[in-house]
Amino acid sequence: MNQWQGENNFAIFKSSVPISNQQVWQAFYQLHKEKIQVQKEKVAIEKLKTIIKATFKLSNQKGFSLMSLRDLSQETGMSMGSLYAYIGSKTQLAEMVHQFLPHMFDLCIGEQLDHKESPQQQLNKLIRGHIFITECLQPWFFFAFMETKHLSRSIKQLAKDNEAKSEILLGNIIEQGEKEGVFSQSDKFLTSMMIKSLLQNWYVKRNKYKQSKTDCESYIRFIEQVIGNYLEKS
Amino acid sequence: MNQWQGENNFAIFKSSVPISNQQVWQAFYQLHKEKIQVQKEKVAIEKLKTIIKATFKLSNQKGFSLMSLRDLSQETGMSMGSLYAYIGSKTQLAEMVHQFLPHMFDLCIGEQLDHKESPQQQLNKLIRGHIFITECLQPWFFFAFMETKHLSRSIKQLAKDNEAKSEILLGNIIEQGEKEGVFSQSDKFLTSMMIKSLLQNWYVKRNKYKQSKTDCESYIRFIEQVIGNYLEKS
DNA sequence: GTCTATATCTGGATAGAC
DNA sequence: GTCTATCCAGATATAGAC
């Protein structure tokens, strides 16, 4: 039985993975500890929080490359010198965010999949996991999606690998379902692409969904219905 | 009967709207004529073509705001001075591309919809039109999608209006189908969003579709099948 | 740990010769 | 119509006082 099903799915998810506000920033700090000059953990976490939030806000307005560090300095209320005690360089600032996401992803979803479950359950679980985690970290994922051009080659590669991984995962589940006879024949590539695009849409067009008062549970049910209608044998 | 159906859909589309290479650049020149200092039409069109293509290439690599006009000068083989005889300013260069798209859209799709056709036909026609036009102008749409942050307020508004328009169009068709009893009850907002996201995916993830050798006809059929399964009463 | 002041460079933009 | 040379605002980044 899917541990996240029932009326309180999202609540259960949040309480079963380390994704509270505090845990997120703690994890972010831990991941980048050695690059940060400031030693006091409590101070560092607080300032990082300020910096990243301001970065999201400004990038959202004018894009990361048009955001100057003077802008950032003003928005955070910190001086240029202070900023550099945390971020190393502007490029590194972007990369820190990018690197954090696969890290959180592994932490919250990576290990939870169980190949003994039915393909439908696996698929639903994967979809739910994706939506839930991007719901919790929406500004992070949005930033990563929009600002991919600023990455070093190695980090770009990392991002590509991660994307490929999730496509293969999807493809495998669909294939398994087909073999077991619970899914009808379909184009696995196109189907995976569609699912991914629906998942991305949730955090890319977040504002629109908010405006229309669609919550993530409704969105998940919608996806499951569409995919179900398409994949499941009638 | 849908004029674009049959085995040669895409070919027929291309021959029935002004979207040949020459016609596109001609239209682009006409739209921006008065902003361009160079008087000789033939020269102007040729150079604009060079400039825009180079802009797409470089923006693709590093993003528009990280592309310097010196980069652009090198890539086009033109001097800075020359560039400015065509583009006015870097910002205007981006805006010229953005403004062109609704223009082409109206030219190629705007007037073709016919409310007397069945909802299914209208929907298919709209989907086909979208895919076909974005197939012909893929780098343009990709650029516009990725580089929205550089626009003046007025042009941003224009883009938003256009998006809203296409959502309303979709919503209306779905609603009509529901009233006529050919579509089952559905969430019109979520359904429109899904269709739009599938349409966007075609030009945003173009490389992936190319790699997997999916042509636009297969993609259209896939979309129609998914939407059909979901919307049409069984 | 944080600030101010500053070094250094790169970008957009233009003037004026050809 | 195109090029070269140049202006100058604004960017990243750092040094050193507090």
Side-chain angles (χ1 to χ4, degrees), chain B residues 38-40 47 79 81-82 86:
Chain B
V38 174
Q39 295 303 317
K40 280 191 183 167
K47 298 281 171 167
S79 66
S82 256
Y86 295 92

Side-chain angles (χ1 to χ4, degrees), chain B residues 108-126:
Chain B
C108 296
I109 302 196
E111 311 305 327
Q112 309 238 15
L113 281 178
D114 179 353
H115 291 276
K116 277 170 243 129
E117 290 180 320
S118 78
Q120 290 106 321
Q121 276 178 330
Q122 283 182 53
L123 190 56
N124 287 354
K125 204 163 173 176
L126 196 59

Side-chain angles (χ1 to χ4, degrees), chain A residues 170-218:
Chain A
L170 274 172
N172 284 345
I173 296 178
I174 297 172
E175 196 169 0
Q176 192 188 336
E178 211 173 278
K179 270 191 195 139
E180 293 182 15
V182 291
F183 291 160
S184 56
Q185 288 247 329
S186 65
D187 185 317
K188 279 154 230 69
F189 170 73
L190 286 178
T191 310
S192 308
M193 289 290 280
M194 171 176 70
I195 296 176
K196 280 206 57 183
S197 125
L198 288 170
L199 295 176
Q200 276 180 345
N201 226 243
W202 179 248
Y203 58 87
V204 174
K205 304 274 176 68
R206 192 58 223 284
N207 280 338
K208 284 205 169 167
Y209 290 111
K210 202 167 222 164
Q211 270 170 36
S212 85
K213 298 191 178 146
T214 307
D215 64 12
C216 64
E217 192 58 42
S218 321

Side-chain angles (χ1 to χ4, degrees), chain A residues 111-169:
Chain A
E111 311 306 327
Q112 308 239 17
L113 281 177
D114 179 353
H115 292 276
K116 278 171 242 130
E117 290 181 320
S118 77
Q120 289 108 319
Q121 276 178 330
Q122 284 183 51
L123 190 56
N124 286 354
K125 203 162 173 176
L126 196 59
I127 289 172
R128 282 186 175 271
H130 256 95
I131 297 290
F132 286 156
I133 196 171
T134 57
E135 172 74 3
C136 294
L137 302 173
Q138 191 268 339
W140 299 78
F141 279 91
F142 184 81
F143 177 88
F145 182 83
M146 295 308 278
E147 312 290 348
T148 40
K149 301 281 167 67
H150 312 275
L151 304 172
S152 65
R153 189 105 63 84
S154 63
I155 302 208
K156 244 176 193 155
Q157 191 55 47
L158 193 92
K160 264 192 187 163
D161 292 348
N162 260 296
E163 209 178 335
K165 207 164 78 182
S166 86
E167 269 158 39
I168 290 170
L169 211 55

